[in-house]
Structures are given as C-alpha cells and as structure tokens.
Amino acid sequence: MKTTTLLRTTLLLPLAVLACAGWGQATAPAAPAPAEVAPPVLPALAWEPPPLQPFSATYQAFYKSKEAGDATMQVTHTGGNQWRVDMQVVGRRGFASVLGLNIEQSTVFEERNGVYAPLSQSTVRKGLFLGKKAVGTYNWQAGTAQWSGDVEKKRAQPIPLQAGDQSALLMNLAIMRDARPGAAMHYRYVDMGKVRQHDYQAAPQTENVEVGDLSYNALRVYRTNGGNNETILWIANGVPTPVRILQREDGEDRVDLRLIEYQGV
C-alpha cells in the first residue's frame, strides 16, 4: 500500500523548457528591447493518463470560499472487470455543520475494454431536517436505466440507455482517462432520473495551480456547456484523482474540493 500525504509531500512535475528561436524574413533593425520581457510559454507535458486503479483520496471542502468540511473519494476493485467508486462529503463547519449535512454517492461499474459502464448508482443525503435516498439500476440488457426511492415521479420513469452513458461519479474517472492537452470530451450524463449532455475542454497546456500550500503543474479541464454553472477540474500527472474540483454558479465559487491526501493500493 502506498500513501502520499500532500500536506507534507509536494508532487511537482518537471517542466520541459521550450527553446524559442526567431523565424521569418530579415527586417529593419529592431527597437531596443523593453526593460521587462515576458517569460516564454512552457509547453504541455507529455501526458500519461493514470490507469484505473484502487485508491482512496481525501479532500478539503470549501463552500462559497469558506472551509466547510471534507470529502473522500474511493475506487475499489470488487473482482473481475467490476469496480466501485464512492464519494462522501461531510459538512463540519458553518451552516453545513449546523445542518449536519452529508452526501454519500456510489456507482458500481464494469470496465469493458477501456469503457466504463455503470451498473448501479445510489445517493444518500442526510441532515438535521432531511434524509433522502435514491437508487438507480442501469440495465444494459433491457437498454434502460431507472431510479426508485426519494425521486420525483417524472424522474422515476425508465430512461433509454446509450453506449457510453455515465453517472456523475463515473464521469470524473472518464475525464481522468480521456483528458489530453487540447482535447474535447463529450459525455451523456444519466443520473438520478436525469439526462444531460456534458461537454468538456482541456486546456492546450499545463498550468500552475495552488492547492493549499502546494503548487502543481496540472491540466485544467472545464465544462463548456454548463451555462452559469461552471465545473473545472485540475489533473496532475501521476495522481489518480483530480487535485482540485471547483463548481461555480453565476461567476462565484460554490463547492471547491482540494486534494490533501491520497492512498493507492
């Protein structure tokens, strides 16, 4: 078992420096160079998507830019080509702490020649004034997905499945698998009785991103069709889960998860 504590160990990645040379036709003598010269743009790293592997990750959770609690994400190999991904978010401070709010989600899925196919999904929401649970089944033989439990009547109807459909949690792993500098990614989200198209774009090159006291050279991946609801993930080579996940609404930070520790098996 391998444990990496990000509060103590910096997983910085080496940068390949791009040597720039001038090209073009001869011109008149150039004017004197300005006192300040912009630094050269660094190229994207050679990108290596992480393999699907078991891990447990801990995130520091912020709500509206204030520390609110923590979150854990875990991927488990349950045998053969079957896997499970779980996430739990627990509010420990501020309004979230008063409510005792926590959310638990899980998806059981199969890895089919590099494709992640969800089999079942569950969501549990707990709090002082609420407690809801919904369970979904992806029946690939029948070609439908359906949810039961605490869902609206219109969300309990069968949904026709299409190849490549993803649950909310599984989409995170799919992005980790598919992201490349400059790549566009398209997924059909089928979860909690809803169907939505999610389109993502990876930045053309890596960038520095601050996560607590650490700085990573990471690839930014952002949703392009979310309207006023933005989703941004930062992915670092060698780390099997995003180092940061940010959701924004109307230009303001809402939920911000920042990786502080992960443990691989």
Side-chain angles (χ1 to χ4, degrees), residues 123 125 131-135 147-152 155 192:
T123 298
R125 297 175 184 270
K132 295 184 177 181
K133 181 177 181 179
V135 176
W147 273 258
S148 61
D150 296 311
V151 294
E152 299 177 35
R155 304 297 184 193
M192 291 294 291

Side-chain angles (χ1 to χ4, degrees), residues 197-208:
Q197 181 66 30
H198 280 233
D199 298 327
Y200 290 85
Q201 177 66 49
Q205 62 184 25
T206 54
E207 63 185 49
N208 286 331

Side-chain angles (χ1 to χ4, degrees), residues 1-63:
M1 180 173 65
K2 175 185 177 183
T3 302
T4 301
T5 303
L6 304 187
L7 291 176
R8 299 193 299 266
T9 306
T10 305
L11 298 177
L12 297 178
L13 301 175
L15 290 173
V17 179
L18 177 64
C20 300
W23 293 86
Q25 297 178 347
T27 59
E36 296 183 0
V37 179
V41 176
L42 297 175
L45 295 172
W47 196 255
E48 296 182 5
L52 180 62
Q53 57 189 348
F55 70 83
S56 178
T58 302
Y59 289 84
Q60 190 176 20
F62 292 81
Y63 181 73

Side-chain angles (χ1 to χ4, degrees), residues 10 70 79 115 154 187 213 262:
T10 305
D70 53 67
V115 176
K154 65 180 180 179
Y187 308 100
D213 295 331
Y262 75 89

Side-chain angles (χ1 to χ4, degrees), residues 14-137:
L15 290 173
V17 179
L18 177 64
C20 300
W23 293 86
Q25 297 178 347
T27 59
E36 296 183 0
V37 179
V41 176
L42 297 175
L45 295 172
W47 196 255
E48 296 182 5
L52 180 62
Q53 57 189 348
F55 70 83
S56 178
T58 302
Y59 289 84
Q60 190 176 20
F62 292 81
Y63 181 73
K64 294 186 176 180
S65 300
K66 295 182 179 180
E67 187 175 355
D70 53 67
T72 58
M73 181 184 293
Q74 184 172 359
V75 171
T76 306
H77 186 201
T78 57
N81 63 344
Q82 194 168 109
W83 298 73
R84 175 175 172 146
V85 54
D86 298 271
M87 173 168 269
Q88 181 179 28
V89 181
V90 179
R92 303 189 188 279
R93 297 190 180 187
F95 186 64
S97 176
V98 172
L99 288 178
L101 180 65
N102 69 75
I103 302 172
E104 300 174 5
Q105 289 185 305
S106 67
T107 296
V108 175
F109 66 99
E110 286 185 344
E111 190 277 328
R112 303 174 178 173
N113 297 320
V115 176
Y116 303 154
L119 302 178
S120 63
Q121 187 274 342
S122 68
T123 298
V124 178
R125 297 175 184 270
K126 300 177 182 179
L128 184 61
F129 305 113
L130 59 87
K132 295 184 177 181
K133 181 177 181 179
V135 176
T137 299

